[in-house]
Amino acid sequence: MQRPDEKKRALITATAARLFAQRPFHKVRLEDIAAEAKIGKGTLYIYFDNKEDLYFSLIYDGFLRLVERLRTQVAPAPAPDGPAQTAAEGLKRITTELVSFAFGHPHFFELMRTIGPGVLKSNPHADWNHLRHELQTLIEDTIRRGIAAGELDDPLPQLTAAFLPGMVRSVMLFGPRCLSENEVRDQILRLLEHGIMRRTEPAGHQTT
Amino acid sequence: MQRPDEKKRALITATAARLFAQRPFHKVRLEDIAAEAKIGKGTLYIYFDNKEDLYFSLIYDGFLRLVERLRTQVAPAPAPDGPAQTAAEGLKRITTELVSFAFGHPHFFELMRTIGPGVLKSNPHADWNHLRHELQTLIEDTIRRGIAAGELDDPLPQLTAAFLPGMVRSVMLFGPRCLSENEVRDQILRLLEHGIMRRTEPAGHQTT
Amino acid sequence: MQRPDEKKRALITATAARLFAQRPFHKVRLEDIAAEAKIGKGTLYIYFDNKEDLYFSLIYDGFLRLVERLRTQVAPAPAPDGPAQTAAEGLKRITTELVSFAFGHPHFFELMRTIGPGVLKSNPHADWNHLRHELQTLIEDTIRRGIAAGELDDPLPQLTAAFLPGMVRSVMLFGPRCLSENEVRDQILRLLEHGIMRRTEPAGHQTT
Amino acid sequence: MQRPDEKKRALITATAARLFAQRPFHKVRLEDIAAEAKIGKGTLYIYFDNKEDLYFSLIYDGFLRLVERLRTQVAPAPAPDGPAQTAAEGLKRITTELVSFAFGHPHFFELMRTIGPGVLKSNPHADWNHLRHELQTLIEDTIRRGIAAGELDDPLPQLTAAFLPGMVRSVMLFGPRCLSENEVRDQILRLLEHGIMRRTEPAGHQTT
DNA sequence: CATGAATGAGGTTTCATTCAT
DNA sequence: TATGAATGAAACCTCATTCAT
């Protein structure tokens, strides 16, 4: 039907993504995927090693695209001119990309949801953790640069970096459905930057 | 131990929780749970209808306990004296409880992870969504009261309310493991209240 | 509740008979029988060895009663006077008893149905076949006596003897439901005695 | 043998028929059937929905073949010539077919035995009762035609029609094993036509 | 004697995977 | 390369039977 290779692989990937997003792993039968994609069951095994491989390839591909976008978008000071707002700009770009990706791939976080530490150990994608680490580092470094530049004030950047994807995921999975991409992004940035506490006057305060 | 009783049900629940947190649903065999709990396979079916029921009961029980704690802890203005900082106090209590629960039940969010909109529809716990809604409302209302009191400033409280559990989950699932309960809680509160942007002086800012 | 022994055994028997008549052996759970009889599951094992034993005891008891009735009713010439119609009388009595028993125990033939050669070998009631043989002999001998007396004419009495219960069973299992005991009995006798072919000479005959 | 085909279905059917005739339903394991047929356990589920479906399909197929044979053999007056003995001829043909089928499929009545009103309701073969009704009608109508032609004399043809298969079943299940097909058929016809009572007038008659 | 919670062997059924076509 | 019939390991689940109470 299509060119032997890439087209069909993409067809499988897309079909599988849809089904895996609809129901949990063990309720999706390879037969369903094959039927939905209008191909034979055996064909799946030409493009993927087994069910798990298909599943993880799916998520990995998406994750890879996300990180690659971020990597290019949030390059550490691309131009050698004087970027005063680099940190705020960086966070904005990161958040924008993250939210944009989430809206563009509504299934992705639904799939990502099922990936946890327990699963990660047992799959052959050795660079999976590498990828996750790169995302974490990308965000964390942006914050650290902001701190170094006196722009930000964060005692635990690694935590904040972990929060950011978590917030995006929250909305996609359980948040109100009627919000626009911009609203979500702005709200995340608002929290990230200023929180929600009204500042009556330049008064100090302590949390603990 | 000849009456169908609480103790044994709790034993099963605890054992199952441990296993389900270690590996995904379809890799946990009921036989393993039974063996680990030192009971017969059939005994499981005295206390639970089937594998799914056991699984969901597990999570539901945990979720119920969490919401119940929050419900009592974050009562809307318990005393009629003049508590000016009710909102900040409320958020602190909620976050404390949330984080405390997360640390106390390290498996819970790992389990919760596998519950998504797709799964929720098809399980008999009718009040599942009710419970989720109560948590959302509990947080949201706290914020709204803060806004009404002029204490907080948040154009989208429903989003913020969704972010809060999301942040807790992030840490438990992917965050650095070496942080104390207090550190996590404080960092979440810091973000929630002030964000991480250094305020040099009362300067305005624009997001878009 | 009742006297320790006989009453309860009868209760079990009756309950089990009802259920076994409703659905096949493997769809009747001992739990159902116990529940229906309002007794504990374990109690069944006080009165019966196991499920099969209960089942076969059931049928055997009924069969025994049937044969015993026939044995006394169709005694071979009880009085030493000159009974000219002994054979016809005997067949009538047998048929009457057979049909009467079938109507009185509507479940019995439904149960009997599930007993076949294959099953018979594997059950401990050694005298089961003896009982069946007694019934066969009882009928067969009646016919043979009729033949010897010049009253009947049947080259294969053993076959006819086998047909008789078969005809009764047919009606109980699949025959029209609206017929009276007498109608069924008379029709069987009619066939047995004269068949349905009209005899060319206008010879009258009356059955009852 | 790579297409889901007739041959394999027939192989399964034959094997299953043999086993189900040897022991009762719940003592026949699908594993046995598969092993005996030299196929995989899963293959059974390609051709049949489940154990019950396999079982009922088995009997239904046999029953269908029987009725179809009868339907063609006992067509209502096939030729417009003057067949005076149509009724007797019809009964003879029916009985011949019935007995022939019974001898040709010695397992069939053994299987049929386990089918009763209780079971019939709960199985998906909607036309099962239709088939049974067709058999009943086929016989009944033959008798009625004989009555109308003045050939037969039977006040309850529907009962007689029910008796006929019952008699055949009797022999196959419990009758003496050493009789030939013809002997059985003739004896049934003898009963059906003239009964066994010797007619006082010295009137001769021959069955065959 | 009576009970019913507990058991676990063994049944039915599913489905990822293979391989002849 | 593509297929889908065939496979059988392994999962879920049932239920006859036991035994502590």
Side-chain angles (χ1 to χ4, degrees), chain A residues 189-196 199, chain B residues 193-195 197 205:
Chain A
L189 280 173
R190 188 188 327 270
L191 244 69
L192 207 55
E193 293 175 350
H194 312 102
I196 58 175
R199 266 156 290 117
Chain B
E193 293 176 350
H194 312 103
M197 183 154 292
H205 65 91

Side-chain angles (χ1 to χ4, degrees), chain D residues 15-29:
Chain D
T15 309
R18 203 171 61 250
L19 294 185
F20 278 128
Q22 277 168 21
R23 39 185 191 275
F25 185 83
H26 71 281
K27 290 228 178 132
V28 176
R29 294 172 3 204

Side-chain angles (χ1 to χ4, degrees), chain D residues 1-204:
Chain D
M1 208 182 276
Q2 188 64 290
R3 296 200 335 285
D5 231 335
E6 224 44 37
K7 278 279 184 49
K8 192 156 282 188
R9 192 191 161 95
L11 169 66
I12 295 174
T13 295
T15 309
R18 203 171 61 250
L19 294 185
F20 278 128
Q22 277 168 21
R23 39 185 191 275
F25 185 83
H26 71 281
K27 290 228 178 132
V28 176
R29 294 172 3 204
L30 291 188
E31 193 151 14
D32 296 339
I33 299 178
E36 198 101 349
K38 302 262 181 64
I39 60 168
K41 233 183 309 182
T43 310
L44 294 175
Y45 286 84
I46 297 175
Y47 295 90
F48 301 93
D49 285 347
N50 52 41
K51 193 181 176 183
E52 263 205 349
D53 180 46
L54 167 57
Y55 182 66
F56 285 128
S57 295
L58 220 65
I59 310 180
Y60 189 81
D61 284 1
F63 202 14
L64 187 63
R65 272 200 300 265
L66 168 61
V67 173
E68 273 169 352
R69 276 190 73 99
L70 281 176
R71 195 191 298 147
T72 56
Q73 285 286 323
V74 198
D81 48 21
Q85 308 221 42
T86 307
E89 262 305 307
L91 286 179
K92 185 172 177 180
R93 276 182 183 156
I94 289 173
T95 308
T96 303
E97 286 302 329
L98 236 34
V99 172
S100 163
F101 185 88
F103 273 81
H105 303 267
H107 296 328
F108 177 71
F109 278 39
E110 179 75 9
L111 291 176
M112 199 70 181
R113 173 178 56 73
T114 61
I115 301 268
V119 187
L120 288 183
K121 286 167 203 155
S122 64
N123 95 82
H125 287 301
D127 41 1
W128 189 271
N129 282 303
H130 166 68
L131 213 55
R132 190 180 290 281
H133 183 254
E134 186 176 347
L135 176 62
Q136 167 80 16
T137 303
L138 219 55
I139 304 173
E140 203 176 322
D141 284 356
T142 302
I143 298 173
R144 289 193 192 281
R145 265 183 281 121
I147 296 170
E151 208 182 341
L152 301 181
D153 177 23
D154 188 348
L156 292 168
Q158 71 271 37
L159 259 184
T160 309
F163 289 157
L164 195 41
M167 285 193 277
V168 177
R169 186 167 45 237
S170 303
V171 192
M172 297 314 297
L173 291 179
F174 312 113
R177 305 255 166 241
C178 52
L179 295 172
S180 77
E181 199 173 323
N182 279 346
E183 283 173 312
V184 171
R185 181 201 55 186
D186 288 348
Q187 180 72 356
I188 291 179
L189 279 174
R190 190 189 324 271
L191 245 68
L192 207 55
E193 293 176 352
H194 312 102
I196 58 175
M197 183 154 293
R198 164 162 298 205
R199 260 153 295 118
T200 47
E201 323 70 344

Side-chain angles (χ1 to χ4, degrees), chain A residues 92-109:
Chain A
K92 186 169 176 180
R93 276 181 183 156
I94 289 172
T95 307
T96 303
E97 284 303 327
L98 235 34
V99 172
S100 163
F101 184 87
F103 274 81
H105 303 269
H107 293 330
F108 177 71
F109 277 41

Side-chain angles (χ1 to χ4, degrees), chain B residues 2-179:
Chain B
Q2 188 64 289
R3 297 201 335 285
D5 231 336
E6 224 44 38
K7 276 281 182 51
K8 191 155 284 188
R9 191 190 160 96
L11 169 65
I12 295 174
T13 295
T15 309
R18 203 170 62 249
L19 294 185
F20 277 127
Q22 276 168 21
R23 40 186 191 274
F25 184 83
H26 71 281
K27 291 230 179 129
V28 175
R29 296 176 358 211
L30 290 189
E31 195 151 12
D32 296 340
I33 299 178
E36 198 100 351
K38 303 261 182 65
I39 60 168
K41 231 185 310 181
T43 310
L44 294 175
Y45 287 85
I46 297 175
Y47 294 91
F48 301 92
D49 284 348
N50 51 43
K51 194 180 176 183
E52 263 204 349
D53 180 46
L54 167 57
Y55 181 66
F56 285 128
S57 295
L58 219 65
I59 310 180
Y60 189 80
D61 283 0
F63 202 14
L64 187 64
R65 272 200 301 265
L66 168 63
V67 173
E68 273 170 353
R69 276 190 73 99
L70 281 176
R71 195 191 297 148
T72 58
Q73 284 286 323
V74 198
D81 48 19
Q85 307 222 41
T86 305
E89 261 306 306
L91 286 181
K92 185 170 177 180
R93 277 183 182 155
I94 289 173
T95 307
T96 303
E97 285 302 329
L98 236 34
V99 172
S100 162
F101 184 88
F103 273 81
H105 303 268
H107 296 327
F108 177 71
F109 278 37
E110 180 74 8
L111 290 177
M112 200 69 182
R113 173 178 56 73
T114 61
I115 301 268
V119 187
L120 288 183
K121 285 167 205 155
S122 64
N123 93 82
H125 286 300
D127 41 2
W128 188 272
N129 283 303
H130 166 68
L131 214 54
R132 191 181 290 281
H133 183 253
E134 186 176 346
L135 176 62
Q136 166 81 16
T137 304
L138 219 57
I139 305 173
E140 201 175 322
D141 284 356
T142 301
I143 300 174
R144 288 193 194 283
R145 264 181 283 120
I147 297 171
E151 208 182 341
L152 300 182
D153 178 22
D154 187 350
L156 292 169
Q158 70 271 36
L159 260 186
T160 309
F163 289 157
L164 195 41
M167 286 193 277
V168 177
R169 186 166 48 237
S170 302
V171 192
M172 295 316 297
L173 291 179
F174 312 112
R177 305 255 166 242
C178 52
L179 294 173

Side-chain angles (χ1 to χ4, degrees), chain A residues 151-206:
Chain A
E151 207 181 342
L152 301 181
D153 177 23
D154 187 349
L156 293 167
Q158 70 271 37
L159 260 185
T160 309
F163 289 157
L164 195 42
M167 286 193 275
V168 177
R169 185 169 46 238
S170 301
V171 191
M172 294 316 295
L173 290 179
F174 312 112
R177 307 252 167 245
C178 52
L179 293 173
S180 78
E181 199 173 322
N182 278 347
E183 284 174 312
V184 171
R185 183 202 53 188
D186 288 350
Q187 181 71 357
I188 291 178
L189 280 173
R190 188 188 327 270
L191 244 69
L192 207 55
E193 293 175 350
H194 312 102
I196 58 175
M197 182 153 295
R198 161 162 301 203
R199 266 156 290 117
T200 45
E201 69 272 63
H205 64 91
Q206 48 275 61

